[in-house]
Amino acid sequence: KQLAVGVVFGGRSGEHEISLRSAATILSALDPEKYHVIPIGITRSGVWVAGPAATEMLSLGGQVGGIESPSPARILASLSSVLGELDVVIPVLHGTYGEDGTIQGLFEMMDIPYVGCGVLASAAGMDKIVMKQLFRQAGLPVVEFRWFTSHAWTTEGDALQSDILRQLGLPVFVKPANLGSSVGITRVDDPADFAAAVALAAQYDRRIIVEKGYDVREIEVSVLGNDQPEASVPGEIISGAAFYDYADKYSPDSQSQLVIPAPLAPEQIEDVRRLAVRAFQAIDGAGLARVDFFLLRQTNTLMVNEINTMPGFTRISMYPKLWEASGWSLPAVLDRLIELAFARHAEKS
Ligand code: ATP
Ligand code: MG
Ligand code: MG
Ligand code: MG
């Protein structure tokens, strides 16, 4: 019997469009002999759609608006109309309401097996403040950072700014605590630009993180597994911009390049793969994640930048490419992820 696999995409996130692109790659790689694949879209306003409406969402690439402010009852009704007889779900959602534990909680409540990290790992991995605190506690090297709420910023912004810049120096990277694809992130080189960077980040989250900016090489590793996670070969990103921002990641005329495997010394390759597994375990990861590293040019030392519990799966994305270079095709990775989802579900029930 074929397994009914729901592939969920879109969602209420600043990474809505990237999710559509990731889902398109996954839909085309799931083996139709093994799986009965059901595309399921979530509009920007949170309404669930299946069938032709979901296909239309994919082909329009983020243009579908949906109703402005659906009521909770409307969202619930849309959800129950699309989540019929599914054996397993792949939530191909990046950022808020998808990669942050919220949808994982929904699947837990409904007792549906799902691919990837559970509630805790998703929430911890999405929040750059909590993530970095957990990494630090696990003894992993992390960048120097400070954080504050947008409330604190409105009441004592001037004092915060001078205190933080005195501690971290320049440049700094100002980021919303929860998001991805570099959305809402600014590199600040001049104190005069700090307030605007905070205002931008505050559009996406009520908590803001400010990190010391380093001169870095960027290394990424894919992780796959539950209790015995495995790390792929590392890859390197040569950014074509001032930093690896949204346009550099996804625009068709981006100058960025992926170098796979990353040209590193053999010991450094082992270090980075070990650190990737430890980062995955520090948040209690399951299924998959991509761990992003900085290799500081000055000291040639590694730091864990962040973990992404639902990394990009677009045609140009690092996660599937690193496994391909490690001998795992995308269909094989997806088979494995589905097995891991069932294994985790069986463990809990
Ligand atoms: P992703 O798409 O990987 O989820 P993200 O939105 O979570 O991205 P980060 O990975 O934290 O954001 O940062 C995006 C990019 O900004 C990094 O890849 C790097 O180019 C640059 N960057 C971020 N923080 C720093 C830092 N502290 N020092 C130097 N460069 C940084
Ligand atoms: Mg990220
Ligand atoms: Mg991300
Ligand atoms: Mg990143």
Side-chain angles (χ1 to χ4, degrees):
K1 169 189 167 275
Q2 276 185 318
L3 281 177
V5 181
V7 176
V8 184
F9 49 82
R12 291 162 58 194
S13 161
E15 293 182 274
H16 181 99
E17 288 95 342
I18 307 306
S19 165
L20 302 182
R21 289 159 64 174
S22 290
T25 318
I26 288 181
L27 287 166
S28 65
L30 283 164
D31 184 346
E33 307 257 291
K34 286 186 200 151
Y35 307 116
H36 171 53
V37 179
I38 302 142
I40 300 170
I42 305 178
T43 66
R44 284 179 198 282
S45 56
V47 173
W48 295 59
V49 298
T55 316
E56 187 186 55
M57 257 183 86
L58 280 175
S59 62
L60 290 179
Q63 303 304 307
V64 175
I67 48 179
E68 225 21 75
S69 312
S71 66
R74 169 75 207 266
I75 292 180
L76 193 60
S78 70
L79 165 65
S80 57
S81 71
V82 304
L83 284 188
E85 299 293 303
L86 295 177
D87 294 309
V88 61
V89 184
I90 314 183
V92 192
L93 298 160
H94 310 304
T96 40
Y97 305 108
E99 198 176 350
D100 62 357
T102 51
I103 205 167
Q104 289 75 12
L106 176 70
F107 297 142
E108 295 281 350
M109 297 293 287
M110 298 172 78
D111 201 25
I112 304 178
Y114 59 93
V115 162
C117 288
V119 172
L120 176 69
S122 300
M126 180 88 304
D127 189 290
K128 291 183 162 61
I129 301 165
V130 171
M131 175 209 320
K132 282 168 208 240
Q133 287 167 340
L134 288 176
F135 287 166
R136 198 147 65 184
Q137 269 180 332
L140 297 166
V142 291
V143 305
E144 211 182 327
F145 69 92
R146 293 277 301 267
W147 70 272
F148 49 84
T149 60
S150 49
H151 176 78
W153 178 252
T154 52
T155 52
E156 43 169 338
D158 290 345
L160 272 174
Q161 172 170 340
S162 59
D163 190 44
I164 289 174
L165 293 186
R166 197 176 325 113
Q167 182 189 336
L168 302 181
L170 285 167
V172 290
F173 282 78
V174 179
K175 314 179 179 182
N178 289 269
L179 211 65
S181 290
S182 301
V183 174
I185 298 184
T186 312
R187 176 188 155 124
V188 175
D189 291 277
D190 181 333
D193 301 331
F194 190 80
V198 173
L200 177 69
Q203 285 178 19
Y204 297 98
D205 199 352
R206 46 176 288 282
R207 294 195 308 154
I208 292 135
I209 180 169
V210 182
E211 298 176 10
K212 184 177 171 65
Y214 299 84
D215 183 16
V216 297
R217 286 173 65 188
E218 299 199 55
I219 310 295
E220 299 187 349
V221 177
S222 297
V223 178
L224 181 64
N226 286 346
D227 288 323
Q228 292 168 290
E230 289 177 45
S232 70
V233 300
E236 177 163 7
I237 288 148
I238 315 278
S239 167
F243 71 97
Y244 196 35
D245 61 12
Y246 187 88
D248 201 35
K249 282 176 183 173
Y250 303 113
S251 102
D253 45 53
S254 155
Q255 299 294 307
S256 68
Q257 290 171 31
L258 309 188
V259 184
I260 302 170
L264 298 171
E267 319 82 69
Q268 221 151 25
I269 291 179
E270 281 322 299
D271 283 351
V272 82
R273 297 177 70 211
R274 238 189 325 261
L275 286 171
V277 169
R278 281 177 57 198
F280 187 81
Q281 291 172 325
I283 63 162
D284 191 31
L288 76 164
R290 194 193 73 227
V291 185
D292 296 355
F293 293 88
F294 293 146
L295 181 59
L296 275 54
R297 288 186 194 275
Q298 282 204 326
T299 52
N300 199 32
T301 50
L302 283 165
M303 280 189 175
V304 185
N305 171 31
E306 61 146 357
I307 191 163
N308 290 285
T309 55
M310 187 49 75
F313 272 89
T314 72
R315 277 184 303 107
I316 56 165
S317 289
M318 198 59 134
Y319 187 88
K321 282 187 189 290
L322 289 176
W323 281 121
E324 211 178 299
S326 311
W328 287 70
S329 69
L330 182 53
V333 168
L334 293 172
D335 288 348
R336 180 75 187 126
L337 284 171
I338 289 168
E339 280 169 28
L340 290 165
F342 283 118
R344 196 159 169 280
H345 184 257
E347 229 169 38
K348 282 182 304 188
S349 32

